Amino acid sequence: MQASEQPVLRDLVLVGGGHSHVVVLRMLAMQPEPGLRITLICTDVDTPYSGMLPGYISGHYSFDDVHIDLGRLAAFAGACFIHGEVTGLDRANQRVLLKGRPSVPYDLLSINTGSTPNVRQVKGAQAHAVPVKPIAQFNLRWLTLLARVRELHSRFTIAVVGGGAGGVELVLSMQFRLRNELQQLGRNPDLLHFVVLTAADTLLPTHNPSVCARFARVLKERHVAVHTRAEVTQVSPGCLHTQDGRTFDADETLWVTQAGGPVWLQSTGLALDEHGFIKVNDRLETLEDPKIFAAGDVASFTARPLEKAGVFAVRMGPPLAKNLRLSLRGQPLVVYRPQRNWLALISTGDRFAVASRGRLGFAGAWVWRWKDSIDRRFMRKFNELPAMAQGSPRAAAPASSLALSAEESRQAISALAMRCGGCGAKVGASILTRALGSLQPVQRDDVLIGLHSPDDAAVVRVPPGKAMVHTVDFFRSFIDDPYLFGKVAATHALGDIFAMGAEAQSATAIATVPPGLEAKVEDLLLQMMTGAVEVLNAAGCSLVGGHTGEGRELALGFAVNGLMDEDMSGVMRKGGMRPGDVLLLTKPIGTGTLFAAHAQHAAKGRWIDAALQSMLVSNQAGAQVLRAFGATACTDLTGFGLLGHLVEMTRPSGVDAELQLRALPVLDGAVACVQAGIVSSLQPANVRLRRALRNAEAFVQDPRYPLLFDPQTAGGLLATVPADRAAACVQALQTAGYPHTAVIGRIRGASDALEPVVLTP
């Protein structure tokens, strides 16, 4: 997480990762707005570029060729990326409502979620048809269809409902790819049959007659059946029903028509058109609320109707970015003037394309190459980010650069002033009271004084026959999402308690938050501590108090108390390894290198998303399984890395360990990051432990070797179990929610060698 020199003065929230918003993010990255915090909320980590989707379906492009990495782009722009689902707006309090997490405040909001075929309006379509949008969900169904076709041995009909450019491109691209797949497998491609149904009188009704006629010829030559004036009114298993009573066989139905806005817009009070799209004026503002903008397919331009085409979404980006800046500064907005005629380059699936602009139309393989060049140039703007902007701090600027109220200006000046130390660095009591007032820590009978009745200190009873287990962890934020950071910090802090075989009882927090406007500091605390308390509550651990102070960077830690039997009968220690035991690891490794790469904008967003999901998996259930299977030793992987923690176990146990390098479960992207030379700042200190390896020189070139020293945050459990219980234990751990659990080695008797760890392939 890039620390900012400037207190947060304003919140800009972007809902959706559409074409307009990726342009806005890049423009704000290249010229940051001082004091502005940007939050991007999207259901997908990778957003597809619609212009290249047909080429992806045809097999001409890879997944990465046609997708913009929103996580990486957001990091480049200094934005907080929330991988989540919007459920509505609280316009009175200026908050975006989210599923399963706290709402997010905005001073300015922009919506660019695209459109979705409205399958709910046609009976059976939602259950039996595949909408082409959202494209990310369509891709999963497309890959399933691809696998299904590869196993074909009988006739199979694919129907596309919708005869616009999108539907025609889709059917031709699918036909080209799927026939080629069958031919390469030595199967008969004529098993596949394709049909297009459209309610219109003609194909591509928004294009000129010559373009329509050309595509009609192409479809006929490719033996694609076309049915016009065929409005589909019902979809049943294997069959389409039209308004005039006709039926058509369809083993798979793709839906590319009747698009509408997302359902959650209906409850916002914003003016919507008949299709559920947001009405906007010529400055891209919503008609009722000047604090909310919309662009792309989700916007209904009131000045004149616009086709739902990517070209408009892309060209809305620059004026939208400019108007967002101007609105934040309290200055007059500029007018967006869409072009009357635009160039559409429509592919036929086989590296051939047709150009359509007004009355003009021309075609050829050269047109496809031209389109390919344009599309790749557009994608390079987002996938080859300028090095000059990476890691650049937010420039400081006077509060007057944004339109602030008199009270906000006073707070901003205070936030920019030299900060006090000592108790003067504490966060104000009123801010703390408001931020923490909505938290509901789990109630425990053995917590006598805690947050429910705050005092100078918490008072916790130690039940008879129990011993107290203490641990503490603290680190600065490495991601821009405070809610997720709170969850990770709490999960990490609880790890030591579970690794010892204890139950968590109570926790005291220590937090550092950057200075800023009171409302911004309050919300930051609320987001972070909500995430933390959710994790603590799930573990039955009561938050009983803490301390919060100001600092340059967001940071959070916990002192956690746990309980175990006084006779220590159930304790799991590091030093219990025995020769013959099997060595297990419950989570994949690689968080250190991945988040080092994330800080350099060199990690793919989906790698970071998967790493966070792994980090959020609690070790509580895993420890319980290990205890049930008689684990002889256990620890949780954290900053010392796999080798460091393994040495901590072998030395007190008086044994040696055999470690299978290729058996290590590894997070996606971790190997690629270390091969690129990107490692954590703690890695060099951990590498000094290579002297514990007996035969390191034989494995230095192995791509997984550097990951032995990779520091982990909220890592898995490293444990040994008796060999005769290992297989059952692994299966139980995988069933309990640790799917990457693996046997990674065995324990040997101690040797005379000074190096206790032996690597094996």
Side-chain angles (χ1 to χ4, degrees), residues 313-610:
V314 170
R315 295 195 178 187
M316 285 180 187
L320 175 62
K322 187 167 186 177
N323 279 344
L324 291 173
R325 289 185 195 274
L326 293 172
S327 181
L328 288 163
R329 297 172 182 174
Q331 298 174 356
L333 307 186
V334 299
V335 171
Y336 163 64
R337 293 185 174 85
Q339 64 270 42
R340 288 286 175 181
N341 293 312
W342 68 96
L343 177 66
L345 301 175
I346 310 167
S347 64
T348 59
D350 53 355
R351 296 182 185 270
F352 188 96
V354 178
S356 173
R357 179 182 172 90
R359 297 180 180 180
L360 298 177
F362 47 92
W366 70 271
V367 178
W368 189 90
R369 292 192 296 271
W370 182 32
K371 169 179 166 56
D372 175 64
S373 175
I374 293 171
D375 290 341
R376 289 184 183 274
R377 184 165 62 249
F378 175 79
M379 291 297 287
R380 279 196 295 271
K381 294 179 181 179
F382 305 98
N383 291 335
E384 298 177 10
L385 300 174
M388 58 175 285
Q390 294 185 5
S392 61
R394 295 312 226 191
S400 58
S401 62
L402 297 179
L404 304 178
S405 67
E407 173 60 19
E408 288 173 328
S409 296
R410 183 195 64 76
Q411 291 184 28
I413 293 169
S414 174
L416 284 164
M418 183 175 293
R419 311 307 296 172
C420 294
C423 281
K426 285 185 176 182
V427 171
S430 59
I431 299 176
L432 274 176
T433 300
R434 291 193 301 266
L436 304 182
S438 61
L439 300 181
Q440 297 292 329
V442 66
Q443 298 296 309
R444 292 180 59 107
D445 293 338
D446 49 9
V447 176
L448 306 181
I449 297 178
L451 285 183
H452 63 285
S453 56
D455 214 306
D456 289 336
V459 178
V460 179
R461 180 194 300 117
V462 179
K466 294 290 185 179
M468 186 69 75
V469 184
H470 299 283
T471 186
V472 63
D473 270 298
F474 179 84
F475 47 77
R476 66 179 183 270
S477 180
F478 53 94
I479 52 175
D480 288 292
D481 184 340
Y483 171 76
L484 280 186
F485 173 58
K487 292 175 78 77
V488 171
T491 302
H492 182 91
L494 290 166
D496 287 336
I497 298 293
F498 299 142
M500 293 288 292
E503 64 168 297
Q505 183 195 33
S506 62
T508 307
I510 179 73
T512 302
V513 294
L517 297 180
E518 286 190 1
K520 306 305 180 186
V521 174
E522 178 185 333
D523 184 74
L524 183 61
L525 273 171
L526 174 64
Q527 298 277 337
M528 182 172 68
M529 294 310 300
T530 297
V533 168
E534 285 179 6
V535 169
L536 295 173
N537 286 355
C541 182
S542 181
L543 181 67
V544 295
H547 176 89
T548 304
E550 285 186 351
R552 183 172 177 269
E553 297 178 291
L554 184 67
L556 179 63
F558 296 91
V560 184
N561 296 329
L563 299 171
M564 66 169 51
D565 291 337
E566 195 172 36
D567 61 8
M568 297 181 64
S569 56
V571 69
M572 294 192 295
R573 303 186 64 179
K574 295 178 181 179
M577 289 176 159
R578 301 177 306 194
D581 284 349
V582 170
L583 187 64
L584 306 180
L585 181 60
T586 63
K587 287 192 195 181
I589 59 176
T591 62
T593 182
L594 282 168
F595 283 95
H598 179 60
Q600 300 178 33
H601 314 139
K604 296 183 184 298
R606 61 180 180 270
W607 295 348
I608 298 302
D609 189 63

Side-chain angles (χ1 to χ4, degrees), residues 6-332:
Q6 171 83 13
V8 175
L9 306 178
R10 280 284 184 263
D11 274 302
L12 167 64
V13 176
L14 307 176
V15 173
H19 298 357
S20 303
H21 276 176
V22 297
V23 173
V24 168
L25 277 170
R26 192 179 189 279
M27 293 181 72
L28 290 175
M30 300 304 292
Q31 187 180 352
E33 195 70 17
L36 179 65
R37 178 168 60 190
I38 307 169
T39 300
L40 172 66
I41 305 171
C42 195
T43 54
D44 304 309
V45 177
D46 297 286
T47 188
Y49 174 46
S50 60
M52 297 179 79
L53 180 66
Y56 168 69
I57 298 297
S58 298
H60 305 319
Y61 302 123
S62 69
F63 180 91
D64 285 335
D65 287 336
V66 305
H67 284 80
I68 296 170
D69 189 330
L70 289 177
R72 184 165 170 260
L73 180 61
F76 174 72
C80 168
F81 177 63
I82 294 179
H83 185 193
E85 180 181 346
V86 174
T87 59
L89 300 179
D90 177 357
R91 288 172 50 206
N93 295 300
Q94 294 183 208
R95 301 190 75 88
V96 179
L97 308 180
L98 298 172
K99 182 179 179 179
R101 57 175 292 158
S103 60
V104 174
Y106 67 85
D107 295 292
L108 208 58
L109 173 67
S110 181
I111 303 172
N112 180 211
T113 55
S115 60
T116 302
N118 198 349
V119 292
R120 294 180 300 276
Q121 292 182 351
V122 176
K123 184 179 179 180
Q126 192 164 8
H128 305 297
V130 180
V132 73
K133 293 181 179 180
I135 296 176
Q137 295 178 21
F138 166 75
N139 183 52
L140 296 176
R141 295 292 295 270
W142 161 246
L143 295 176
T144 301
L145 175 60
L146 195 57
R148 186 179 175 188
V149 167
R150 287 168 179 157
E151 301 299 322
L152 273 188
H153 294 282
S154 59
R155 179 186 173 96
F156 191 85
T157 300
I158 298 174
V160 172
V161 179
V168 170
E169 272 194 305
L170 179 64
V171 73
L172 290 172
S173 298
M174 286 194 301
Q175 186 198 50
F176 178 82
R177 174 72 175 276
L178 296 178
R179 285 182 62 88
N180 282 345
E181 291 284 336
L182 288 181
Q183 287 175 330
Q184 291 172 11
L185 292 170
R187 308 263 180 82
N188 180 10
D190 291 334
L191 291 174
L192 291 168
H193 294 263
F194 295 85
V195 59
V196 175
L197 291 91
T198 176
D201 296 336
T202 181
L203 294 172
L204 289 86
T206 60
H207 294 268
N208 67 64
S210 67
V211 170
C212 297
R214 182 182 291 275
F215 272 102
R217 290 195 302 271
V218 170
L219 290 164
K220 184 176 181 179
E221 292 167 0
R222 300 264 287 266
H223 304 290
V224 176
V226 176
H227 300 278
T228 58
R229 300 177 183 174
E231 181 181 353
V232 177
T233 56
Q234 182 179 348
V235 183
S236 57
C239 186
L240 300 176
H241 307 260
T242 61
Q243 189 177 36
D244 57 8
R246 288 180 288 172
T247 59
F248 298 89
D249 292 337
D251 297 292
E252 188 82 20
T253 300
L254 289 303
W255 205 267
V256 200
T257 188
Q258 296 178 340
V263 176
W264 62 265
L265 287 174
Q266 303 291 332
S267 63
T268 61
L270 297 173
L272 309 178
D273 68 11
E274 65 274 20
H275 301 295
F277 296 120
I278 306 170
K279 291 184 178 181
V280 297
N281 59 25
D282 58 5
R283 297 174 299 281
L284 303 178
E285 294 174 300
T286 59
L287 303 187
E288 298 80 13
D289 196 333
K291 297 183 183 299
I292 302 178
F293 290 71
D297 284 1
V298 79
S300 177
F301 196 63
T302 54
R304 67 178 176 89
L306 298 179
E307 187 172 342
K308 301 301 182 185
V311 62
F312 289 114
V314 170
R315 295 195 178 187
M316 285 180 187
L320 175 62
K322 187 167 186 177
N323 279 344
L324 291 173
R325 289 185 195 274
L326 293 172
S327 181
L328 288 163
R329 297 172 182 174
Q331 298 174 356

